[in-house]
Amino acid sequence: MKGSDSRIQLGGERRQVTAVFYDIVGSTELLLSNDPEKYLRSIASLHNSSEDIIRRHGGNLSRRLGDGGCGYFGYPAQVEDAAEMAVQAALELIEMATRQSHRPRTVPFKLRVGVATSVVVLSSDGKDIVGTAPILAARLQAEAQPDTVLVAEATYQLTRNRFDYTFLRDAALKGFSEPSALWQPLARSPGSLRDRSNPARGAPMGGREKELARLTIEWNAACSGTGRSVAVTGEAGIGKSRLVAELRRSLGRENDADILLQCDARMTGEPMQPLIGFLEASVGKDVLQRGNAPQLREALHGIGLPVDERAARAIATFTGGDSRRKAGNIQVADLSGEAFRKDVIRAAVQILCAGEAAKLIVIEDVHWADSMTLTMLEHLVSHARHRPVLVVQTSRGPTAVAAAESLPLQGLGTAAMKSLVASVWGGAPPAGLVSFILQQCDGLPLYAKELALLLRSRHSVAPAAASWTKLLVEEGVSSLNDLLAVKLAKVGSARRVAQLASVIGREFSVSLLNRLLDGAAAASLEADLAALVAHGVIEQGATSNDAFQFRHVLQHEATYGSLLRTDRRRFHKRIAQLLSEEDVPSVPPAVAAWQCAEAGLHLQAAQFAMKAAEACVLRSAMREARQSLDLCAREIAAMRRHVDRRPFLLDLLQLQGVVATALEGEGSQLARRTYARAISLLKRDGSANREERLPLYWGWWFTAPNISLQQSRARVLVSDMEGARDPETRLQAYHCGWATSFHAGHHDYCLDCVGKGIALYDAERALRNRAFYGGHDAKVCGLGESALSYLLTDAHEPSEAAIRQCLEWADRTEHVGSMVHALYYGIVLRRCQQRYEDVHSLGERMLALADENGLVASQARANMYCGWAEAMASSPERGAARFEEGLRLQKLTGTDDNLSIHSDMHSEILERMGDPGAAVVPIENAIALGRKSGQWFWLAELYRRRAHLRLALGDAPARARRDLRYALQSAETQGAEWLAKRAGHDLRHHFG
């Protein structure tokens, strides 16, 4: 990063320029019919006179082309009234040629002149100009009649109130795909005087009295203890933030401890960034990044935001810089993920509403809020109803929380516009000005203010209303963006600092600017920033004394848009290099990724995007993670033959699999394709360390579309990981093996995997890895699975010992996911044994945990099993209703991993209710799906149950006998001796 103040030099600039191209009519014939010396003297005189005219009107004769020339207005130096002065100069060129043609000893020339305006690219040395203006001007002069001027459409629009025009026709010009309008200026309209005095600053807001009164009423209601929430909506520049600022000013709360949260277009991939930004400004970034809950709680208390221990712990975990977890290893079945997300949102709401005093909470630009912030806002709005809190959101559209009261802002009317213009003007404005501004701005306050400021700076007396239109179009202003560009042009050399700052973002730090500048540019930074503040381009930032921000997002966009793409990339590259060198990043990784991507630094962009995605996954912010992963994917695709491309692609797929499964489910095609692609890459790459890629194997196994394929993949996983040096890797491979083998009815293989896996179990490693794989402790899972396999293989004592150890060990872990998992095993085991009271007791314990931690799938299961137990043992109607509610919830969550037993339970309830005909349907569906999917472990019992129902319904005995034989055969094939005994007993009982 060496260099001097030349580092701030631009490679060029975008600017609106007007070109004038003139040419002599019939120059060849004139040369042949006149003395060459006389012709040359006449040509030189013409060019000299042309240059005088062009310079007198603020232009520059750039080229003499023998029999013609090209001049520019607005280049190399910016001038006022560029288009107007160009047309005036063109008309005077015709007049000059006409006068010269009547002089003796002069060749009588006739001229054709073309005038065109466009945005062009200027080189930094002032030697080159690239754009359509000079080309179009040349084409126009070729279409002109002798001694006439033709003007392009853009120039006409800028000067139509300065000159009288005649429209000639639309013409097809060489090189232009669309026809061009040909306008001929005839004469100049009367001009107007100008005033260059500076406008007064600090004018108060006007025209929003009704809206301000509405917010004041809402505030008073909040102060009485009835919280309110209002969504102020409207287009950019309509005055949303200005209205909120006026509310705070009118309430005398400008320096009060209100909470201001700012959403940012560059931060949509950073979960809860508005809250984090507020906390960083309030308690310091270091406090947040330490992840120390007691310290954070103390710091919050110190600024008047007392919170409980749980809230402090949730936020400290969420914002802590260090984590033992690795996002790529976290599996979507982690039951703590959604609970953690809810804890963070609950904690955020508690922080924002902390304290007893009435409070104003403002969330700006909600249309840029990340999804987690939007969820937090929904909870905040609900919670605020019972607190002395007014929540005010600003948004460009319907993104704001629906529960908030809507306060849409419309354009200002005539009376309000008159008040606004008068406040800018410093008194009564000239007649007709208010109507003119209202017509131009369509009531948009920001546009109106900037336009009034511009006109005030150019006007000294009150002329006719038409002169205001002329003043506007002569400045090249046709939109708010043009006005803001004009505003930026007035700040002189500070413009370069503003442009560089715009590349950093809407908010930028002085320290980062200093690092980007050297020499004279750095030495004048303080003065340049002061100039930008004085001209209303930037203001002091809200998050730090070191920070500034553009006063309006539209000003930021206009400033950023004024840079050439090459300069933007160069500045982005310098910023990206600085960020890459930092030990502690000064900006969030999603922002750093964007900077690198804009700089064309694909590797660094992919690295930062991966970090951003990992941080989001660790925070259970999957939608935000997807944004960063999409950027990462684009950057990796651009790396092409880079040596690190393959490892990065595998890292990407690893995270994409987790996110896709979380957002769309393990059965989604996207999740399955992602993991399948990853395993295909691993198998093709002989040098890949498969041990390090266990999460990919796990996801590939987890997302298999059926039990049969999952069992096949589990065996591949176990085989590929047998040589792994890490015992935890081998344990988790066995974990996959036993989980699928039980469902497939491979009990011997299941018990073998459990034995080998638990032998590798380490309690300390389990503290970390239970969050990685399945969201539960591996030992709990292995013991529970073995309890079921032992039961079905008729090993009752080992089964009882295993389930007892499973439940005891789960309680010792104090890990919610593991405790719920163990309870589920206990419930299924007791259900198989028809022990209703035990099922109900364990189910209620499971439901209590699920309710407390927001585990919807476990809530569904607990209600299904408790309902079944109640229906079978005590109250069929009440139990059936509870079972149906659990079944409905389970279908909503799509988490039925035990369809065989659940269908059997459903059938038993229907039979208990006296409808054996209906009871057959779920059994037959479960048999069909079980055979198709490979879920064989309960198939023998389903056949046995169907035989029982067929006999009860008077069906053909042969069909019942066939079902019992299938049941016996299936059980014996699996080694499920307990099920074989049940089927054999029924076969002998009914058929001898």
Side-chain angles (χ1 to χ4, degrees):
M1 300 301 295
K2 297 179 180 179
S4 63
D5 54 312
S6 63
R7 298 169 60 191
I8 191 80
Q9 295 298 315
L10 299 176
E13 183 181 350
R14 293 177 182 270
R15 190 187 300 172
Q16 183 171 281
V17 166
T18 300
V20 174
F21 200 101
Y22 66 89
D23 188 61
I24 299 171
V25 179
S27 58
T28 302
E29 290 81 357
L30 289 172
L31 174 60
L32 294 175
S33 60
N34 286 277
D35 177 69
E37 184 177 348
K38 179 181 178 182
Y39 178 85
L40 182 61
R41 186 171 58 249
S42 299
I43 284 283
S45 175
L46 174 73
H47 283 315
N48 290 336
S49 297
S50 298
E51 185 170 9
D52 287 343
I53 291 170
I54 290 172
R55 284 184 174 176
R56 178 158 37 88
H57 289 288
N60 171 57
L61 183 60
S62 177
R63 289 177 290 169
R64 297 188 182 193
L65 304 172
D67 56 356
C70 181
Y72 294 113
F73 292 78
Y75 168 79
Q78 284 184 296
V79 295
E80 298 180 1
D81 319 325
E84 177 193 344
M85 294 299 99
V87 175
Q88 181 64 39
L91 291 172
E92 292 188 18
L93 287 175
I94 299 297
E95 295 174 1
M96 174 270 297
T98 301
R99 288 194 304 271
Q100 285 196 2
S101 66
H102 297 296
R103 293 176 183 172
R105 297 186 299 278
T106 302
V107 175
F109 292 135
K110 292 182 180 294
L111 292 183
R112 291 188 297 240
V113 184
V115 185
T117 304
S118 76
V119 174
V120 300
V121 173
L122 310 177
S123 64
S124 59
D125 58 9
K127 295 180 180 179
D128 298 314
I129 178 170
V130 179
T132 60
I135 300 172
L136 181 55
R139 298 286 189 269
L140 289 171
Q141 69 80 23
E143 295 288 327
Q145 295 297 314
D147 285 342
T148 63
V149 178
L150 285 185
V151 168
E153 176 69 22
T155 313
Y156 163 73
Q157 292 294 339
L158 293 171
T159 61
R160 59 194 174 111
N161 292 301
R162 288 291 188 183
F163 299 90
D164 295 328
Y165 278 96
T166 295
F167 173 72
L168 299 181
R169 66 185 188 280
D170 288 324
L173 303 181
K174 181 180 178 182
F176 293 86
S177 58
E178 298 293 330
S180 300
L182 304 184
W183 293 91
Q184 181 180 344
L186 302 177
R188 183 181 180 89
S189 299
S192 61
L193 298 175
R194 301 174 184 274
D195 177 18
R196 303 185 183 276
S197 60
N198 292 323
R201 295 179 54 83
M205 185 188 74
R208 295 294 186 199
E209 291 78 12
K210 183 185 296 184
E211 292 86 350
L212 183 60
R214 163 81 180 280
L215 288 177
T216 303
I217 291 172
E218 301 291 356
W219 168 253
N220 291 333
C223 290
S224 68
T226 306
R228 291 287 194 270
S229 181
V230 180
V232 181
T233 60
E235 61 181 307
I238 200 69
K240 301 181 293 295
S241 299
R242 186 73 178 85
L243 177 62
V244 173
E246 187 67 13
L247 172 67
R248 298 185 69 216
R249 187 196 65 78
S250 67
L251 297 175
R253 302 184 63 83
E254 290 178 292
N255 299 312
D256 212 328
D258 291 335
I259 293 178
L260 308 178
L261 307 184
Q262 177 67 58
C263 304
D264 191 290
R266 301 292 179 209
M267 298 289 192
T268 56
E270 293 286 339
M272 301 289 279
Q273 188 58 40
L275 176 72
I276 292 175
F278 163 73
L279 292 176
E280 286 179 349
S282 301
V283 302
K285 184 180 292 187
D286 290 345
V287 174
L288 289 181
Q289 291 184 342
R290 286 191 202 108
N292 187 305
Q295 288 184 7
L296 176 59
R297 188 181 182 193
E298 182 180 352
L300 289 170
H301 185 80
I303 60 171
L305 298 175
V307 297
D308 60 33
E309 183 179 346
R310 179 179 176 182
R313 184 169 61 250
I315 296 298
T317 302
F318 189 78
T319 61
D322 297 325
S323 174
R324 297 177 302 165
R325 307 171 79 191
K326 188 173 186 296
N329 288 344
I330 295 176
Q331 298 306 310
V332 295
D334 182 0
L335 297 176
S336 65
E338 186 61 29
F340 173 63
R341 181 185 174 94
K342 290 180 178 179
D343 258 3
V344 172
I345 290 172
R346 170 193 166 276
V349 171
Q350 186 182 138
I351 288 173
L352 295 176
C353 294
E356 298 300 324
K359 181 177 298 186
L360 176 65
I361 302 175
V362 179
I363 306 98
E364 291 269 24
D365 296 324
V366 173
H367 50 276
W368 285 324
D370 58 273
S371 66
M372 198 167 178
T373 294
L374 288 175
T375 303
M376 183 270 290
L377 289 182
E378 292 177 359
H379 288 265
L380 175 62
V381 168
S382 176
H383 185 75
R385 293 173 185 156
H386 313 291
R387 304 280 301 167
V389 172
L390 172 60
V391 179
V392 178
Q393 310 165 54
T394 68
S395 176
R396 293 185 185 177
T399 314
V401 175
E405 294 291 328
S406 177
L407 181 58
L409 297 189
Q410 306 297 331
L412 297 181
T414 302
M417 187 63 71
K418 182 176 181 180
S419 175
L420 186 150
V421 174
S423 68
V424 172
W425 210 261
L433 180 62
V434 173
S435 297
F436 165 72
I437 290 179
L438 185 60
Q439 181 181 11
Q440 294 293 322
C441 308
D442 197 26
L444 198 67
L446 179 62
Y447 196 170
K449 177 185 175 183
E450 294 297 334
L451 183 54
L453 287 170
L454 174 67
L455 297 176
R456 176 72 175 82
S457 69
R458 299 287 192 270
H459 215 72
S460 60
V461 296
S467 67
W468 294 109
T469 303
K470 298 173 185 178
L471 283 171
L472 175 59
V473 295
E474 73 190 11
E475 290 291 335
V477 173
S478 59
S479 67
L480 176 57
N481 188 72
D482 293 336
L483 269 175
L484 297 175
V486 170
K487 183 177 185 177
L488 182 66
K490 296 177 182 178
V491 301
S493 61
R495 182 171 187 258
R496 296 291 189 264
V497 171
Q499 288 173 315
L500 180 57
S502 74
V503 179
I504 299 173
R506 183 186 175 188
E507 185 174 84
F508 56 92
S509 71
V510 177
S511 57
L512 182 55
L513 271 178
N514 258 321
R515 294 170 65 191
L516 293 168
L517 299 170
D518 278 341
S524 65
L525 178 58
E526 185 175 347
D528 288 336
L529 291 174
L532 292 171
V533 171
H535 282 82
V537 176
I538 65 173
E539 62 187 359
Q540 188 73 45
T543 61
S544 167
N545 292 330
D546 181 54
F548 284 85
Q549 66 180 20
F550 286 86
R551 283 181 62 89
H552 200 281
V553 65
L554 296 179
Q555 182 69 68
H556 173 232
E557 292 171 358
T559 306
Y560 186 74
S562 69
L563 284 165
L564 296 180
R565 282 189 291 270
T566 53
D567 283 324
R568 290 182 203 166
R569 172 161 288 198
R570 190 159 54 88
F571 287 170
H572 279 301
K573 188 172 183 178
R574 285 176 14 210
I575 294 169
Q577 288 171 340
L578 285 176
L579 295 176
S580 299
E581 294 167 2
E582 292 177 339
D583 294 328
V584 178
S586 58
V587 299
V591 176
W594 172 75
Q595 289 283 358
C596 293
E598 292 297 308
L601 301 175
H602 305 302
L603 174 62
Q604 293 91 330
Q607 289 172 328
F608 278 118
M610 192 77 72
K611 288 180 181 178
E614 285 183 344
C616 291
V617 171
L618 288 170
R619 295 168 174 176
S620 299
M622 299 300 182
R623 288 182 177 82
E624 291 82 358
R626 176 170 279 179
Q627 292 188 43
S628 292
L629 290 176
D630 288 345
L631 173 60
C632 186
R634 293 194 296 270
E635 296 305 304
I636 290 175
M639 289 165 64
R640 300 193 181 280
R641 297 177 181 174
H642 195 284
V643 66
D644 292 325
R645 187 177 187 275
R646 179 67 62 83
F648 265 109
L649 183 55
L650 288 171
D651 288 341
L652 171 67
L653 291 170
Q654 195 162 301
L655 276 177
Q656 282 181 327
V658 172
V659 171
T661 312
L663 294 178
E664 302 183 28
E666 67 264 25
S668 69
Q669 290 298 315
L670 178 59
R672 290 172 179 170
R673 284 198 306 268
T674 300
Y675 283 118
R677 182 186 179 196
I679 296 302
S680 177
L681 287 173
L682 277 173
K683 290 185 179 297
R684 290 204 307 266
D685 187 357
S687 63
N689 187 331
R690 297 184 179 183
E691 179 179 346
E692 292 180 353
R693 296 298 176 179
L694 176 63
L696 285 173
Y697 276 94
W698 180 283
W700 178 59
W701 164 80
F702 187 71
T703 57
N706 55 63
I707 297 297
S708 296
L709 185 56
Q710 196 172 53
Q711 169 65 7
S712 174
R713 290 180 177 180
R715 290 179 181 268
V716 171
L717 204 166
V718 170
S719 174
D720 282 4
M721 298 300 160
E722 276 183 339
R725 290 172 295 180
D726 178 28
E728 187 66 26
T729 298
R730 300 200 304 277
L731 165 60
Q732 296 304 335
Y734 288 128
H735 189 171
C736 296
W738 74 57
T740 306
S741 298
F742 170 78
H743 283 274
H746 298 179
H747 299 295
D748 288 343
Y749 188 71
C750 172
L751 293 170
D752 182 59
C753 287
V754 171
K756 291 178 178 178
I758 289 183
L760 297 168
Y761 180 83
D762 179 87
E764 289 298 319
R765 287 198 308 266
L767 290 173
R768 179 173 60 95
N769 291 322
R770 65 193 180 201
F772 295 173
Y773 303 103
H776 55 253
D777 184 87
K779 182 176 179 178
V780 166
C781 185
L783 289 168
E785 213 76 70
S786 65
L788 294 175
S789 276
Y790 278 132
L791 173 67
L792 299 190
T793 56
D794 208 29
H796 294 277
E797 288 188 10
S799 175
E800 291 300 319
I803 197 62
R804 183 176 61 253
Q805 293 173 41
C806 172
L807 291 166
E808 290 174 353
W809 187 253
D811 287 341
R812 288 176 63 182
T813 67
E814 297 183 346
H815 179 246
V816 173
S818 302
M819 294 164 70
V820 168
H821 203 55
L823 287 168
Y824 187 45
Y825 278 122
I827 291 169
V828 174
L829 183 72
R830 299 313 179 205
R831 188 271 154 201
C832 292
Q833 297 167 330
Q834 299 286 302
R835 291 166 59 169
Y836 307 131
E837 290 185 7
D838 289 344
V839 169
H840 195 273
S841 174
L842 292 169
E844 292 292 358
R845 285 174 58 189
M846 183 178 179
L847 183 60
L849 277 174
D851 287 343
E852 182 181 352
N853 293 278
L855 307 178
V856 180
S858 295
Q859 289 172 332
R861 289 169 180 157
N863 279 313
M864 287 173 64
Y865 281 91
C866 286
W868 171 81
E870 290 173 9
M872 299 304 292
S874 57
S875 175
E877 291 79 11
R878 187 180 68 231
R882 187 172 183 183
F883 178 88
E884 289 289 348
E885 176 58 25
L887 183 62
R888 183 194 65 80
L889 186 58
Q890 187 177 70
K891 288 178 179 178
L892 289 176
T893 59
T895 53
D896 195 349
D897 58 352
N898 209 346
L899 177 68
S900 297
I901 286 184
H902 297 163
S903 297
D904 193 8
M905 293 160 58
H906 193 190
S907 174
E908 287 183 315
I909 291 174
L910 292 171
E911 185 181 14
R912 179 86 163 84
M913 297 285 289
D915 194 352
V920 174
V921 176
I923 293 293
E924 291 185 336
N925 289 338
I927 289 173
L929 290 173
R931 292 178 64 88
K932 182 179 180 180
S933 68
Q935 191 175 70
W936 291 89
F937 79 97
W938 201 243
L939 199 58
E941 190 66 9
L942 292 173
Y943 278 122
R944 191 187 72 83
R945 283 276 301 138
R946 188 168 70 174
H948 165 75
L949 291 169
R950 280 177 168 171
L951 291 172
L953 291 168
D955 203 347
R959 300 182 70 183
R961 183 188 297 113
R962 186 166 60 248
D963 277 346
L964 289 172
R965 285 176 176 170
Y966 281 152
L968 183 60
Q969 181 184 3
S970 175
E972 289 176 345
T973 300
Q974 298 174 35
E977 184 63 25
W978 186 62
L979 297 180
K981 287 180 178 180
R982 291 163 67 90
H985 173 271
D986 285 6
L987 187 61
R988 290 190 300 273
H989 176 72
H990 292 293
F991 300 104

